[in-house]
Amino acid sequence: MQKIFFLFIFSYSVTVSAQNKLAPLTVQKIMRDPRWMGSSPSQPQWNRTGDTLYFLWNPDKKPADSLYFITLKNHTPQKATVAQRQLLSRPGSYVYNLVRTRYVFEKNGDIFFTDITTRTTRRITNTIESENNPQFSFGEKKIVYTRSSNLYAWDIATGETEQLTNIGTSSNNFGSKPSGGKEEDWLKNDQLVNFDVLRERKAKNDTSDAYRKALPKEKELRYLLVREGSVRGLNISPDGRFVSYRAFKPATTKNTIIPDYVTESGYTTDISGRNKVGAEQGSSAFYVYDRERDTVLTLPVESIPGIRDLPDYLKDYPKAFDKRKKDSTRRAASVYGVSWSPKGRHLVIEIHSDDNKDRWLMQWDMQVNKLILLDRQRDEAWIGGPGINGNSMGWINEDLFWFQSEATGYSHLYTINIPSLQKKALTAGNYEIQEAILSEDKKFFYITTNEVYPGEKHFYQLNIATGKKERITTMTGANETSLSPDEKNIAVLHSYSNKPWELYLQPAKPGTAAQQITFKGQSEEFKSYTWRDPEVVAFKAADGALVYARVYKPANPHPNKPAVLFVHGAGYLQNAHKWWSSYFREFMFNNMLADNGYYVMDIDYRGSAGYGRDWRTGIYRHMGGKDLSDHVDAAKYLVDTYGVNPQHIGLYGGSYGGFMTLMAMFTQPEVFKAGAALRPVTDWANYNHGYTSNILNEPYNDSLAYYRSSPLYFANGLKGDLLICHGMVDVNVHYQDAVKLAQRLIELGKDNWELAGYPMEDHGFVEPSSWTDEYKRIFKLFESVLKK
């Protein structure tokens, strides 16, 4: 009996072990609900004092992530209690006074004030309305916050609340109702004639109103009317004198309707999508209200240098260029950021031209209503890059302002002395400053850069006075850091090419080591397979540019020596890096392809993130130009380096990768024999304004750019086998794109293509069944075409 029992246990253990083995990889296995892989920690967040670190994690494979925490004394992760979760619901950004003895914060729509020295917290507001954006002002004697598009001030000493602004819009006009027509006037008079009680009540109300209006008022707030739109970006100077705000007028444009066919009701419903590139955009006007002089100042736009400069691309359209030059029309511009110096002596505003060819940093001298240029960044393509479009700017002291700029071709840190206008570069080199945090004592910057390698992220401490930069993180790959409020420690989310994210804790000093906190991130089944560490290579493109790539090499190449290129998406991404990819499904699929004898390559083509301005803008006015030629050169590299058969090369990708696949199949049919275009853009005139207008301008201004960049116009070139997959409720790249291309291919008489529509999927698929179906089709395509 004991022997039989032993054999049963042995047999059971072998069965369990076999069940935990992932190999051989199949589409059905890797496209399951991602929880089979395990869970990586995410969103680390320190408490205010910096002794407790919270993060999301799901080692138990629950339906959703749970909140965990560690302390500096106990590094073992524990689940947070309900009380701790509620405490953490406070935002991470507390607003401190200059000497950091007090702070304010918003929680659940109310404002709170804490005095650190007395360890007391007072609730400033307790209303049904939502209050937000608290800040110290009036020489830090009052807390100013926003409620219903107006500013209020709470006096710390007296507890008195004062309304500072009286801003209204024509749409709400402080609750006043629009006047009725003749019919309403007649009805009102008829009611009063026929009902005694109504007449009596009206007489009483009129008497009361007259009495209230006759009372003397201690203070009359000036009524600031925004005639159209809404009020946004309310801000007040540290001395309480100046209030800045934007009057935003939304555009009234036609949106795309997206039919939703599979619904609970059984009826087709309509999803209201976005508008298309070139549609009218919302506009805004920037104002500053001087409370002391009771004067509203408008931005003196005419004094912005180059506000009438025309973009170079218009020279391709001589008539339009000559007309615009003759008219000398002022370009539209918008205020992106407002920054007051700590004591309020200086105001710096960040202005972008609406065509996104210029970014200006200007000092606004309120005394004479004059703009003074601090920095102008001009790009004939478009302004962008890390820290450029955003709030990556501020003050080191009352006169020294810091910002980021791509002036050298890479995003770097600069300072400018406001009185002297002397500018200084704090960093330099062929790498990017991807994030910058000013230390509380204003002596250091904590920066994240890709200086070591374009596909790595490391954390540094930069001494402002000496310029000395010291690296703190050392682990190869990506190090996503969260600095503790006391700046003594960093939480590090680290990953490597074939190792998903884990959480580490490290002192925020050079020469220190990181301690791993989480270990249960991956399941035993996931770890049972030896995931490839893709080889990072670089090859020269036809124009001499150096292109970085990842290569998955097969242990046993198929006799036909086939190869597949994976094309990552855009927005501003890269994938030839040394950290765990957001394309984790594609990473696993690429391993599966390699297991089946394919060489697989993934390149950071022109337009990818991480390589500076010229690389970013290399696709300007021609998507499917240099970015596609980089893939043609990649195919040649595979042939020359690994002996890949040039007649057996395919490619696949989603979104921008799907667009690239179409352009490759239509314009380079001799190079690429099979392609899977997933949720692809087929006509850029269908895509959104913010992304597309930067790269291709507007269709009615630059039709040449849209023609040479849209696959729809090149579909006749299709020779190889094409698969198109698209979610039918995609609110990003609309299914309309796939339908238009399908009609074009039908009219052209092409029969070597197919379209798979997924009725319940948006741009990023959710259902494992959809992922599985899609990638089974992709694998079948490659197997049937590239191994012939």
Side-chain angles (χ1 to χ4, degrees):
M1 291 292 294
Q2 289 179 341
K3 185 176 183 181
I4 294 174
F5 181 73
F6 171 77
L7 289 174
F8 172 77
I9 293 293
F10 177 76
S11 173
Y12 177 76
S13 65
V14 170
T15 302
V16 171
S17 177
Q19 288 176 343
N20 284 335
K21 287 288 185 180
L22 184 59
L25 297 182
T26 66
V27 171
Q28 289 87 341
K29 288 180 181 178
I30 62 180
M31 295 299 167
R32 286 173 285 167
D33 186 317
R35 281 179 293 182
W36 76 265
M37 301 166 55
S39 170
S40 290
S42 64
Q43 299 182 34
Q45 181 179 340
W46 293 93
N47 69 339
R48 187 190 62 81
T49 54
D51 55 16
T52 304
L53 176 67
Y54 294 90
F55 56 95
L56 295 178
W57 199 27
N58 190 9
D60 302 325
K61 299 183 182 179
K62 300 291 185 182
D65 290 354
S66 298
L67 185 66
Y68 283 76
F69 73 95
I70 63 168
T71 67
L72 295 182
K73 295 181 179 179
N74 183 1
H75 292 176
T76 302
Q78 303 174 60
K79 270 191 179 180
T81 64
V82 174
Q84 286 173 310
R85 289 198 296 270
Q86 291 176 339
L87 186 66
L88 199 65
S89 67
R90 298 177 183 178
S93 55
Y94 294 83
V95 180
Y96 287 83
N97 61 349
L98 291 177
V99 294
R100 296 185 67 81
T101 57
R102 295 170 166 180
Y103 63 86
V104 291
F105 61 93
E106 177 266 331
K107 180 183 177 184
N108 298 329
D110 286 314
I111 308 299
F112 294 80
F113 165 76
T114 296
D115 190 318
I116 299 174
T117 57
T118 60
R119 298 183 180 180
T120 57
T121 297
R122 298 168 66 183
R123 187 175 195 146
I124 297 175
T125 67
N126 187 2
T127 67
I128 295 176
E129 290 187 276
S130 178
E131 290 88 22
N132 54 62
N133 192 31
Q135 54 190 305
F136 288 91
S137 188
F138 295 92
E140 301 193 333
K141 294 178 181 179
K142 296 182 180 182
I143 307 300
V144 175
Y145 57 87
T146 302
R147 175 197 293 161
S148 299
S149 298
N150 274 293
L151 292 180
Y152 294 78
W154 178 76
D155 192 295
I156 298 173
T158 66
E160 180 181 88
T161 298
E162 175 189 8
Q163 184 172 346
L164 300 179
T165 63
N166 190 23
I167 304 175
T169 65
S170 57
S171 58
N172 61 42
N173 204 20
F174 287 98
S176 64
K177 299 178 181 179
S179 59
K182 294 180 179 179
E183 180 185 359
E184 291 185 23
D185 292 340
W186 179 90
L187 184 61
K188 179 179 177 181
N189 292 330
D190 187 62
Q191 293 288 94
L192 292 173
V193 167
N194 290 293
F195 296 99
D196 294 337
V197 175
L198 284 178
R199 287 197 306 274
E200 293 171 2
R201 289 182 178 178
K202 183 179 185 304
K204 290 179 181 179
N205 290 335
D206 289 346
T207 302
S208 299
D209 288 343
Y211 174 74
R212 283 194 298 269
K213 291 178 180 178
L215 290 174
K217 295 185 180 296
E218 293 184 8
K219 182 177 182 180
E220 186 75 40
L221 277 177
R222 172 166 178 168
Y223 177 58
L224 303 172
L225 175 63
V226 175
R227 297 194 177 278
E228 293 183 278
S230 59
V231 176
R232 296 187 178 183
L234 268 173
N235 205 337
I236 193 166
S237 60
D239 60 6
R241 176 177 172 179
F242 298 102
V243 174
S244 62
Y245 59 97
R246 288 187 300 126
F248 178 77
K249 178 186 176 183
T252 54
T253 57
K254 184 177 181 179
N255 290 340
T256 300
I257 299 299
I258 303 164
D260 188 0
Y261 292 100
V262 184
T263 63
E264 291 182 13
S265 68
Y267 289 89
T268 299
T269 60
D270 290 336
I271 300 172
S272 180
R274 53 163 174 76
N275 55 31
K276 300 180 187 296
V277 58
E280 179 188 358
Q281 301 299 300
S283 60
S284 64
F286 185 74
Y287 303 96
V288 171
Y289 173 48
D290 185 340
R291 298 177 61 249
E292 183 177 299
R293 293 187 291 185
D294 192 25
T295 303
V296 177
L297 303 174
T298 58
L299 189 69
V301 180
E302 289 291 347
S303 61
I304 299 176
I307 194 62
R308 283 184 163 78
D309 289 356
L310 295 179
D312 284 352
Y313 81 84
L314 283 178
K315 295 175 182 177
D316 284 349
Y317 308 92
K319 290 183 179 179
F321 180 79
D322 291 342
K323 185 178 184 302
R324 289 271 298 271
K325 191 174 182 180
K326 182 179 180 181
D327 293 345
S328 189
T329 305
R330 189 183 72 196
R331 287 184 292 160
S334 302
V335 173
Y336 271 47
V338 177
S339 185
W340 288 96
S341 60
K343 296 181 181 179
R345 286 204 296 266
H346 309 296
L347 171 63
V348 173
I349 54 176
E350 179 182 3
I351 306 170
H352 287 242
S353 60
D354 286 5
D355 63 12
N356 213 12
K357 308 295 185 191
D358 277 284
R359 182 200 72 170
W360 298 272
L361 294 176
M362 311 283 291
Q363 180 196 1
W364 193 353
D365 188 334
M366 299 294 176
Q367 302 300 323
V368 294
N369 195 24
K370 178 183 178 183
L371 289 177
I372 302 169
L373 180 65
L374 303 178
D375 181 79
R376 179 186 179 186
Q377 184 175 327
R378 170 79 176 183
D379 198 316
E380 286 299 334
W382 74 94
I383 300 295
I388 308 301
N389 288 327
N391 295 316
S392 192
M393 62 181 190
W395 297 87
I396 296 174
N397 57 47
E398 187 64 21
D399 292 329
L400 193 61
F401 184 77
W402 70 269
F403 61 96
Q404 284 183 243
S405 171
E406 275 191 326
T408 64
Y410 292 85
S411 182
H412 282 290
L413 275 173
Y414 296 83
T415 61
I416 184 166
N417 183 281
I418 300 300
S420 68
L421 299 182
Q422 182 178 358
K423 196 182 307 182
K424 177 183 178 183
L426 297 182
T427 59
N430 294 342
Y431 64 92
E432 295 179 337
I433 306 297
Q434 299 185 336
E435 185 181 16
I437 301 171
L438 183 63
S439 67
E440 293 298 339
D441 62 9
K442 316 295 185 185
K443 294 180 180 179
F444 299 92
F445 275 104
Y446 294 99
I447 57 176
T448 298
T449 85
N450 63 349
E451 181 176 3
V452 172
Y453 166 72
E456 286 196 49
K457 295 183 180 182
H458 285 286
F459 189 70
Y460 297 77
Q461 184 185 67
L462 171 67
N463 187 301
I464 296 173
T466 65
K468 182 180 180 182
K469 182 165 83 289
E470 296 182 279
R471 181 170 150 188
I472 295 176
T473 57
T474 58
M475 296 180 287
T476 302
N479 297 276
E480 303 279 1
T481 59
S482 176
L483 183 65
S484 64
D486 58 10
E487 301 177 10
K488 293 181 179 180
N489 296 284
I490 52 174
V492 183
L493 285 175
H494 171 264
S495 71
Y496 185 64
S497 303
N498 58 355
K499 295 178 181 178
W501 302 92
E502 296 286 6
L503 180 65
Y504 294 75
L505 187 65
Q506 181 178 351
K509 292 182 179 180
T512 59
Q515 179 185 352
Q516 188 169 346
I517 300 299
T518 59
F519 293 89
K520 300 179 181 179
Q522 286 70 56
S523 66
E524 291 303 316
E525 184 182 10
F526 179 84
K527 291 188 289 187
S528 71
Y529 180 85
T530 304
W531 299 102
R532 286 171 176 80
D533 179 3
E535 180 184 358
V536 177
V537 300
F539 61 89
K540 277 197 174 183
D543 63 355
L546 193 64
V547 183
Y548 287 92
R550 302 206 296 188
V551 179
Y552 302 75
K553 289 184 287 189
N556 300 296
H558 187 271
N560 284 347
K561 300 295 281 291
V564 170
L565 294 178
F566 166 60
V567 190
H568 72 70
Y572 194 42
L573 301 174
Q574 64 181 130
N575 208 47
H577 49 57
K578 296 182 180 179
W579 64 80
W580 183 247
S581 176
S582 58
Y583 293 100
F584 62 90
R585 292 182 180 89
E586 290 78 0
F587 171 82
M588 293 188 290
F589 185 66
N590 291 343
N591 273 269
M592 188 187 110
L593 288 174
D595 286 350
N596 283 273
Y598 295 84
Y599 285 87
V600 184
M601 196 173 195
D602 172 7
I603 76 171
D604 277 347
Y605 52 87
R606 237 65 70 97
S608 298
Y611 302 90
R613 178 193 60 209
D614 293 344
W615 200 266
R616 171 176 59 80
T617 60
I619 58 175
Y620 179 58
R621 299 190 70 209
H622 192 183
M623 292 190 275
K626 289 182 179 179
D627 46 1
L628 178 55
S629 66
D630 287 343
H631 283 89
V632 173
D633 294 332
K636 183 177 184 301
Y637 176 86
L638 288 170
V639 172
D640 294 343
T641 306
Y642 304 109
V644 163
N645 188 326
Q647 299 304 312
H648 295 278
I649 300 176
L651 77 169
Y652 79 102
S655 194
Y656 197 94
F659 150 75
M660 287 287 294
T661 298
L662 293 178
M663 290 296 277
M665 295 297 293
F666 295 166
T667 67
Q668 298 291 335
E670 303 305 322
V671 178
F672 302 104
K673 304 303 179 181
L678 318 177
R679 52 200 182 274
V681 174
T682 68
D683 182 355
W684 284 107
N686 286 339
Y687 200 52
N688 70 36
H689 184 85
Y691 177 79
T692 318
S693 65
N694 280 343
I695 304 172
L696 301 180
N697 306 305
E698 294 99 349
Y700 46 80
N701 287 326
D702 198 359
S703 58
L704 290 174
Y706 282 81
Y707 175 80
R708 60 185 170 218
S709 299
S710 295
L712 190 69
Y713 301 110
F714 302 96
N716 194 42
L718 177 64
K719 294 181 179 179
D721 291 77
L722 173 64
L723 168 67
I724 307 166
C725 298
H726 210 132
M728 294 173 67
V729 287
D730 191 333
V731 298
N732 182 9
V733 179
H734 300 152
Y735 189 59
Q736 179 189 25
D737 269 60
V739 174
K740 287 177 62 174
L741 180 60
Q743 178 62 27
R744 182 67 180 141
L745 292 170
I746 291 169
E747 293 176 2
L748 290 169
K750 302 292 183 180
D751 55 11
N752 49 341
W753 64 277
E754 65 173 313
L755 168 61
Y758 295 83
M760 299 187 70
E761 295 293 356
D762 198 341
H763 195 61
F765 283 14
V766 174
E767 299 300 327
S769 57
S770 300
W771 282 104
T772 301
D773 181 88
E774 183 179 49
Y775 275 78
K776 283 171 64 178
R777 293 175 186 271
I778 298 170
F779 186 58
K780 180 181 178 181
L781 170 70
F782 293 154
E783 287 284 279
S784 61
V785 176
L786 302 183
K787 286 185 176 180
K788 281 184 179 179

